Amino acid sequence: MHAGNNVCGPPVTTKCKISNKKHTRRTLIIAIIGVLAIIFLVLLVLHKRKTPKNDYINHQTMKLNRNNPYKTSKKELQMQSDEEENRKRTQNSGNIQFVRSDRERFELQDLLRASAEVLGGGSFGSTYKAVLLGGQAVVVKRFREMNNVRKEEFYVHMTRLGRFSHPNLLPLVAFHYKKDEKLLITDFAENGSLASHLHVKRKPNEPGLDWPTRLKIIKGVTQGLAYLYKELPHLSLPHGHLKSSNVLLDKAFNPLLADYALSPVVSKRHAQEFMVAYKSPEFTYHNQTTNKTDVWCLGILILEILTGKFPANYLKQGKGGSSDLETWVNSVVREEWTDEVFDKDMKVKKNSEGEMLKLLKIGMYCCEWNVDRRWGLTMAVAKIRELTEKGGEDEYSSCTSDGDAYSSKGTTDDDFSFSKSVIDSKP
Ligand SMILES: *[C@@H]1O[C@H](CO)[C@@H](O)[C@H](O)[C@H]1NC(C)=O
Ligand SMILES: *[C@@H]1O[C@H](CO)[C@@H](O)[C@H](O)[C@H]1NC(C)=O
Ligand SMILES: CC(=O)N[C@H]1CO[C@H](CO)[C@@H](O)[C@@H]1O
């Protein structure tokens, strides 16, 4: 190959101008260092602009969590920022992907500018309510533990969830995908979570949820769950994270399930650590979940809503939650197996006690340790649908034949001997 004029080294015919060459190289190196320094500074500035806001939210959330995981903060976080606008223009990743067509459109920038109120921490990431300039309120939930999901996979799953339509599901409105963080945007539920109504101390004159409301909530939860089972037959955990803080209440106290169907997109490790389905006995002892696992979660929820007792160990991180929960179930039910078991804050109408006991019993069948003996969802749905606010004499007599379904379970029936049983007494 014929060497060019500027090339040094053999075979070289022309004499190299060593000093010039050296000079050129030095200039080049200085120029490169200069450019790198500028790039570094630019990155530093961009980073500085970006982080304080996020850190502020995290800090606020952590502070709130430490005080009370359910407390709704009144702290208004004004997140307006002019830089966002510039950043947005130069960045294509700021997209919000809408999964429903019946909602007002907005962009990430609008969210960042909206006045936000931290709603809580949760096991996935912080949640906040954002009120957009048009007055629309949405809930933004940040997820950091979905790192393994590819964009297409995430997109397909979220689009499917966006097509869901049921009065007892909190609608997913939109999402934002970034490699290390995802945002899920849902509607806002006016009356907070069931957990906050059951467990947060109320003002002295504020009544607790009464029995008809609690029954309505359980019926709605079951309907929402049945819908998820129907729409997601390929998933063993159509919900996967059913607990009282994921049951939200609209202004008429209709329940709306939240955080459903996330097991396909949450990282395994995180799911097993935090999602309540993985606290079930079958996962704790056999590493497996089945389509009765969500029913177990429903059972815990039923006991919680009737007793007003918080299954604290549920929130415990890692494995072993279920053996503590067995203790919890026993403590709420067996030690005081009378009407004493019911939440003192639950206003009860005359004659409703029989129905309450029936629901308690249904809850126990759903919490059955042995998966084979545990009710499936279809059975739970059918039994819960039969419940009424108030069991009158007529209704009572028509219910006794159904009572056979409970006692025919034979082996488990000993566990359900009521000290004051309406269900089991037969004419
Ligand atoms: C469950 O899985 C974990 C880790 O994958 C393993 O260490 C454990 O032995 C398994 N337990 C059972 C009962 O299979
Ligand atoms: C649960 O799975 C079993 C088979 O494993 C199936 O027969 C049953 O219909 C499923 N139940 C529901 C409610 O999808
Ligand atoms: C108890 C409670 O918080 N009730 C609220 C439910 O939502 C409606 C509508 O926003 C409020 O008016 C109630 O005060």
Side-chain angles (χ1 to χ4, degrees):
M1 202 208 294
H2 189 74
N5 281 340
N6 315 333
V7 180
C8 289
V12 179
T13 47
T14 40
K15 202 180 170 203
C16 277
K17 287 174 182 169
I18 299 295
S19 58
N20 267 358
K21 203 73 215 167
K22 263 191 180 161
H23 184 74
T24 314
R25 268 196 201 154
R26 200 176 299 139
T27 316
L28 200 66
I29 288 170
I30 289 171
I32 288 172
I33 290 175
V35 168
L36 286 177
I38 290 168
I39 290 174
F40 180 72
L41 281 176
V42 167
L43 286 177
L44 202 66
V45 168
L46 282 179
H47 186 67
K48 275 259 165 68
R49 275 183 187 175
K50 195 175 169 179
T51 37
K53 182 180 292 171
N54 292 346
D55 284 347
Y56 186 54
I57 295 172
N58 285 338
H59 182 66
Q60 287 297 330
T61 312
M62 269 159 55
K63 237 168 56 190
L64 288 165
N65 288 347
R66 218 177 302 124
N67 296 343
N68 183 342
Y70 294 116
K71 192 168 156 193
T72 299
S73 159
K74 295 288 173 288
K75 179 97 189 161
E76 290 274 303
L77 298 173
Q78 193 60 42
M79 301 199 307
Q80 24 75 314
S81 146
D82 293 331
E83 288 112 42
E84 290 309 328
E85 187 131 10
N86 296 330
R87 200 144 57 83
K88 174 76 208 315
R89 268 200 212 108
T90 55
Q91 212 173 283
N92 285 330
S93 61
N95 288 335
I96 299 248
Q97 192 75 48
F98 279 80
V99 294
R100 335 177 67 87
S101 51
D102 57 349
R103 292 296 191 282
E104 188 192 318
R105 302 279 149 151
F106 49 84
E107 292 180 8
L108 187 58
Q109 164 196 349
D110 302 324
L111 272 188
L112 293 167
R113 275 188 182 164
S115 72
E117 180 186 326
V118 176
L119 296 176
S123 41
F124 292 113
S126 47
T127 300
Y128 54 100
K129 173 188 175 186
V131 181
L132 300 163
L133 290 176
Q136 187 193 1
V138 293
V139 171
V140 181
K141 196 156 196 166
R142 307 168 82 199
F143 288 84
R144 293 182 175 283
E145 304 293 338
M146 292 179 171
N147 298 349
N148 300 330
V149 205
R150 282 180 302 119
K151 190 168 187 168
E152 307 77 60
E153 216 178 310
F154 191 78
Y155 183 93
V156 166
H157 190 64
M158 291 305 143
T159 308
R160 172 178 291 142
L161 300 193
R163 281 198 294 265
F164 287 2
S165 169
H166 188 273
N168 299 116
L169 290 189
L170 184 70
L172 177 68
V173 174
F175 68 88
H176 171 65
Y177 183 99
K178 245 174 30 183
K179 194 164 180 297
D180 56 353
E181 185 182 63
K182 281 97 196 145
L183 302 180
L184 295 189
I185 296 148
T186 64
D187 281 349
F188 172 70
E190 312 245 0
N191 269 314
S193 74
L194 172 61
S196 70
H197 284 278
L198 289 178
H199 307 300
V200 172
K201 256 200 152 57
R202 285 179 304 274
K203 291 172 208 113
N205 56 349
E206 220 180 313
L209 298 176
D210 60 14
W211 158 247
T213 306
R214 292 185 202 217
L215 179 62
K216 175 166 96 171
I217 291 170
I218 279 298
K219 284 188 167 185
V221 165
T222 318
Q223 293 304 318
L225 200 54
Y227 179 84
L228 289 174
Y229 270 69
K230 182 167 71 72
E231 295 296 315
L232 299 163
H234 59 292
L235 291 187
S236 90
L237 299 175
H239 193 294
H241 206 31
L242 179 61
K243 55 174 183 168
S244 58
S245 54
N246 281 336
V247 175
L248 305 180
L249 302 170
D250 73 5
K251 57 177 176 259
F253 286 87
N254 293 303
L256 299 163
L257 299 181
D259 276 7
Y260 46 85
L262 292 179
S263 62
V265 292
V266 173
S267 76
K268 274 246 150 359
R269 187 192 50 79
H270 191 80
Q272 296 181 0
E273 194 109 318
F274 291 101
M275 287 174 65
V276 295
Y278 295 97
K279 312 278 177 193
S280 62
E282 55 271 32
F283 188 78
T284 305
Y285 300 113
H286 305 293
N287 277 348
Q288 53 175 232
T289 55
T290 78
N291 67 8
K292 285 184 178 179
T293 303
D294 274 331
V295 177
W296 185 79
C297 300
L298 175 67
I300 298 285
L301 187 73
I302 290 173
L303 298 185
E304 181 182 348
I305 203 173
L306 284 175
T307 63
K309 289 189 183 170
F310 182 59
N313 293 313
Y314 227 13
L315 288 191
K316 234 169 60 178
Q317 190 177 325
K319 279 203 170 189
S322 68
S323 59
D324 292 325
L325 265 183
E326 184 176 31
T327 318
W328 180 81
V329 169
N330 290 338
S331 77
V332 294
V333 181
R334 296 206 187 132
E335 283 167 19
E336 20 175 1
W337 196 233
T338 59
D339 357 332
E340 294 288 298
V341 74
F342 297 118
D343 187 357
K344 309 274 179 299
D345 290 337
M346 172 163 62
K347 266 224 315 263
V348 173
K349 289 195 180 112
K350 236 178 122 214
N351 294 337
S352 47
E353 194 183 69
E355 297 295 299
M356 285 158 50
L357 283 169
K358 277 188 208 168
L359 182 57
L360 190 65
K361 204 166 182 185
I362 291 169
M364 291 301 279
Y365 276 115
C366 294
C367 286
E368 168 60 54
W369 224 240
N370 182 328
V371 179
D372 294 333
R373 284 201 310 234
R374 186 185 306 159
W375 281 359
L377 184 73
T378 315
M379 181 71 156
V381 167
K383 289 296 170 190
I384 288 169
R385 193 185 287 132
E386 285 169 11
L387 295 172
T388 56
E389 285 178 16
K390 198 166 98 169
E393 280 302 311
D394 294 348
E395 279 159 349
Y396 166 65
S397 51
S398 73
C399 277
T400 36
S401 53
D402 287 329
D404 288 339
Y406 300 82
S407 40
S408 68
K409 287 274 158 181
T411 46
T412 52
D413 209 41
D414 284 349
D415 298 341
F416 302 105
S417 48
F418 291 80
S419 66
K420 183 168 184 270
S421 173
V422 180
I423 303 163
D424 285 352
S425 60
K426 295 211 173 95

